[in-house]
Amino acid sequence: MDNNGFVKDTPWQTNGDSGLHEECGVFGMYDFDGGDVASTIYYGLFALQHRGQESCGIAVSETNGPKGKVTSYKGMGLVNEVFTQDNLEPMHGDIGVGHVRYSTAGASTRENAQPLVLNYVKGTLALAHNGNLINAMELRKDLEYTGAIFQTTIDSEVIAYHIARERLNSNSVEEAVGRACQKIKGAFALVVMSPRKLVGARDPYGFKPLCIGKRDNAYILASETCALDTIGAEYVRDVLPGEIVTITPEVGIQSDLSLALPKEARCIFEYIYFARPDSHIDGVSVYASRIKAGRFLAMDSPVDADLVVGVPESGNAAALGYSLQSGIPYGTAFVKNGYVGRTFIKPKQSSRESSVRVKLNVLKEAVDGKRIIMIDDSIVRGTTSDRIVKMLRDAGATEVHVRISSPPFLWPCYFGTDIPEREQLIAYNRSIEDIRKIIGADSLGYLGVERLEEMVGGLSICKGCFTGTYPMEPPKEDIRGDFER
C-alpha cells in the first residue's frame, strides 16, 4: 500500500525517510490431520505483505517427527522474492509460523528477520512477533548480565528468551508464554510454535490485531482476516486483548484471560491505514471505518468542488465516503504503477524526489479544469503532499482541497508505528493554515479526534500520537534510539 500523504509509498525505506510504516504481520498454522503447512503459510504471508516488505520467514515442524526438529527459511525481500518452489518443497511439517517484517526496532538485516527459532533445554521454540516493547532495553540488559548472548537487535528475541527461561519452571509452554507476557510491556501480537502446540498471545491493551481461523481440520492464527480469506479458511474469532490461546488436537482452542485489563487501546491506525480494507478487526470492518471517516470529513470540512479523489490505496475508501456524504462525484485521479519493485527506491532524498511520479501518475483528463477534493489518510512530515498537490495543478486542476482522514500527528508512537520525534512532524508547532501553505492546497481539513471512536463503532482505541495521552507511561527513550521523550 502506498498512500503518499507522506512517503508510505516506500515502506522499505529506513527510519530516515518521511514515511509512516507498517509494523509486521504474523501467521501460524497447525494441521491436525498432519498435512504440510508451509505452502499455506506462504500464501497467508502473501496476503499480509502490506504489513512489512523488508524481510520474511517461515519455520515448520512435524509434531509426530523427531522432537525439536525445526525447518526454517528466511531472507530479505518480499514473500515471492524470498520463497521459491525449491526452498518451500523441503519444508515438511504440520505446524508452523510465518512473519513479514518492517523494522520499527532493530536494523534491517537478515539476522533480524523472523521467525526466531530457539533451541533450549526443553526443546525448541519458533516465535513471530508484531509490535514494539517499551521495556525491551531494560529486559535485554538484565538478560545480558546473567550471561545471555543475543544474535539479533530486535525486541522479539527478548520475548523468546523470557519464554524459554520461564519454560524451565513451568508445566507447559502456554504457562511460560503467560509468565513472559507479564514481564514485557508494550504492544505485541505473538505466535509461538512449540513441538506440539501453537500458541497465540495479544497484549492486554489489544494494540495489535490477531485472529483465529479454521480450514477443515487445521487452525490458523493471523494478523488480519484477509489472510484467512486468501487461504480459504473461515473466521472463528479474534484473540481478545490480554488473551493467550493454545491450539492442540486434544483440546482445540484453550483460552487464558489472566492478562486481560479493563482498559483496552487498539491502534487506530489499523483502521485508518495499516490493515487491508477487506479485513475485519475486533468485529469492525476496516473498509466501513474508512467510509465513515470520509463521511465525517464531508460533514465537518465541507467544500464546493467538482470531483472527489483518493490517494491510492488507503485514501480511496475515505474519498468514496466523502463523495457519498457530499453528493460530489467520486473519481480516479491517480494511476498507480503496481510493478515497481521494492529495490527500486533507495533511502536517499535524491531518490525520493522521483518516487511519487514513478509510483503515481495523474489522469489529466479526469482533473483538467476541475476543482478537486483530494483525500489522503495522513500527513507526517508533509514532504510528499506538496508534490502530489503540484501534480494535480500541473494536470490542470483549478483548485485542490486536501482532506485528511486522521487528525494531525503531534506526538511520536512508542508501540510499533513508525512515527518520528515531534520536531519532524509537520503539525508540530504549526497551525492548519501553516500546513496548508506548505503543501500548496487551497484548503486543508483533518478528521477531528472526537470522531475516532465513532469511526470504529465505539471500540476503545489508542490516540497517543494525536493527543500525547498514552494508555501506559511511555519510555524516556525509544528502543530504536530515534527519539527521546
Side-chain angles (χ1 to χ4, degrees):
M1 278 203 286
D2 54 64
N3 194 333
N4 294 276
F6 38 106
V7 189
K8 295 191 304 276
D9 58 327
T10 56
W12 45 86
Q13 290 181 351
T14 63
N15 288 344
D17 74 7
S18 44
L20 180 76
H21 295 294
E22 297 86 316
E23 315 99 320
C24 299
V26 297
F27 191 93
M29 185 172 182
Y30 190 171
D31 188 341
F32 296 165
D33 291 337
D36 286 339
V37 297
S39 63
T40 303
I41 294 174
Y42 166 86
Y43 286 112
L45 294 181
F46 201 78
L48 297 173
Q49 186 75 84
H50 59 285
R51 298 188 68 85
Q53 292 104 353
E54 214 165 72
S55 65
C56 59
I58 296 173
V60 298
S61 181
E62 295 182 84
T63 56
N64 294 319
K67 191 171 182 180
K69 184 187 176 188
V70 174
T71 306
S72 67
Y73 191 89
K74 56 188 181 180
M76 304 300 294
L78 302 176
V79 175
N80 66 340
E81 292 172 343
V82 171
F83 289 100
T84 64
Q85 204 71 35
D86 291 342
N87 56 40
L88 266 178
E89 275 186 356
M91 298 187 75
H92 297 297
D94 55 342
I95 186 170
V97 295
H99 189 268
V100 291
R101 178 172 187 259
Y102 168 74
S103 61
T104 52
S108 173
T109 63
R110 191 180 186 281
E111 290 75 28
N112 287 340
Q114 297 186 46
L116 298 178
V117 179
L118 261 66
N119 294 291
Y120 70 118
V121 175
K122 291 276 189 174
T124 55
L125 282 177
L127 174 142
H129 165 224
N130 169 30
N132 209 49
L133 305 185
I134 61 172
N135 65 337
M137 200 63 80
E138 168 194 331
L139 292 175
R140 186 185 180 98
K141 284 176 182 171
D142 290 344
L143 287 166
E144 285 173 337
Y145 281 117
T146 58
I149 298 170
F150 285 86
Q151 306 297 316
T152 77
T153 59
I154 55 177
D155 49 5
S156 310
E157 192 175 11
V158 174
I159 302 172
Y161 261 115
H162 273 284
I163 294 172
R165 287 202 166 189
E166 293 296 340
R167 182 67 183 93
L168 299 178
N169 302 306
S170 303
N171 295 319
S172 64
V173 66
E174 60 269 29
E175 184 184 334
V177 171
R179 287 183 178 184
C181 287
Q182 288 173 0
K183 294 182 177 181
I184 60 180
K185 293 177 184 175
F188 56 87
L190 299 174
V191 179
V192 180
M193 175 186 78
S194 78
R196 304 284 185 269
K197 293 174 181 175
L198 186 65
V199 181
R202 193 173 174 195
D203 70 74
Y205 291 96
F207 281 110
K208 306 303 172 193
L210 191 63
C211 65
I212 306 170
K214 189 173 188 291
R215 187 180 76 181
D216 300 325
N217 210 20
Y219 279 91
I220 296 103
L221 292 168
S223 289
E224 293 184 39
T225 58
C226 65
L228 303 180
D229 297 334
T230 297
I231 63 164
E234 63 177 286
Y235 165 79
V236 175
R237 66 177 179 86
D238 286 87
V239 176
L240 300 172
E243 184 180 21
I244 297 169
V245 295
T246 308
I247 296 171
T248 59
E250 296 78 23
V251 184
I253 303 170
Q254 185 179 346
S255 170
D256 174 4
L257 280 164
S258 56
L259 293 175
L261 296 173
K263 182 184 177 184
E264 297 170 354
R266 296 159 185 84
C267 175
I268 187 61
F269 253 82
E270 292 289 348
Y271 299 93
I272 293 171
Y273 168 70
F274 290 142
R276 253 175 49 171
D278 50 332
S279 287
H280 288 70
I281 299 173
D282 290 323
V284 174
S285 161
V286 173
Y287 179 74
S289 297
R290 293 175 188 171
I291 293 282
K292 273 189 189 177
R295 285 186 178 275
F296 294 152
L297 280 171
M299 294 176 196
D300 303 337
S301 301
V303 63
D304 194 21
D306 304 307
L307 194 68
V308 184
V309 303
V311 179
E313 297 289 342
S314 50
N316 290 342
L320 179 57
Y322 195 107
S323 169
L324 290 169
Q325 186 66 36
S326 66
I328 299 169
Y330 169 79
T332 301
F334 301 101
V335 177
K336 178 187 169 190
N337 182 353
Y339 299 96
V340 177
R342 66 176 293 278
T343 54
F344 176 81
I345 298 167
K346 302 293 188 290
K348 295 177 182 175
Q349 184 65 33
S350 57
S351 294
R352 286 205 309 273
E353 294 302 335
S354 63
S355 67
V356 178
R357 288 191 184 275
V358 169
K359 296 284 283 189
L360 291 177
N361 198 20
V362 177
L363 273 170
K364 291 183 175 64
E365 294 83 358
V367 303
D368 191 19
K370 292 180 180 170
R371 299 167 297 168
I372 303 297
I373 300 171
M374 184 188 92
I375 311 289
D376 206 348
D377 64 74
S378 40
I379 307 177
V380 181
R381 292 173 173 89
T383 53
T384 321
S385 299
D386 60 340
R387 275 172 267 163
I388 300 180
V389 170
K390 186 176 184 301
M391 283 167 66
L392 289 170
R393 292 200 191 281
D394 290 346
T398 57
E399 296 176 15
V400 180
H401 302 274
V402 176
R403 296 294 179 268
I404 305 298
S405 60
S406 65
F409 282 117
L410 296 170
W411 298 84
C413 174
Y414 297 93
F415 306 107
T417 302
D418 193 8
I419 299 170
E421 66 246 23
R422 298 190 73 189
E423 290 73 17
Q424 294 184 39
L425 300 170
I426 192 172
Y428 178 63
N429 277 346
R430 288 190 182 93
S431 67
I432 290 179
E433 175 60 15
D434 291 337
I435 302 167
R436 181 197 69 76
K437 288 177 182 175
I438 290 170
I439 67 172
D442 290 284
S443 71
L444 173 64
Y446 285 89
L447 188 71
V449 173
E450 71 284 352
R451 288 291 201 181
L452 294 174
E453 273 98 350
E454 200 177 349
M455 173 185 164
V456 293
L459 286 177
S460 298
I461 54 173
C462 176
K463 299 176 284 190
C465 53
F466 306 128
T467 65
T469 302
Y470 301 96
M472 66 176 79
E473 184 67 24
K476 288 183 172 62
E477 186 179 14
D478 185 78
I479 189 170
R480 290 172 295 180
D482 279 349
F483 47 76
E484 292 185 356
R485 192 179 171 207

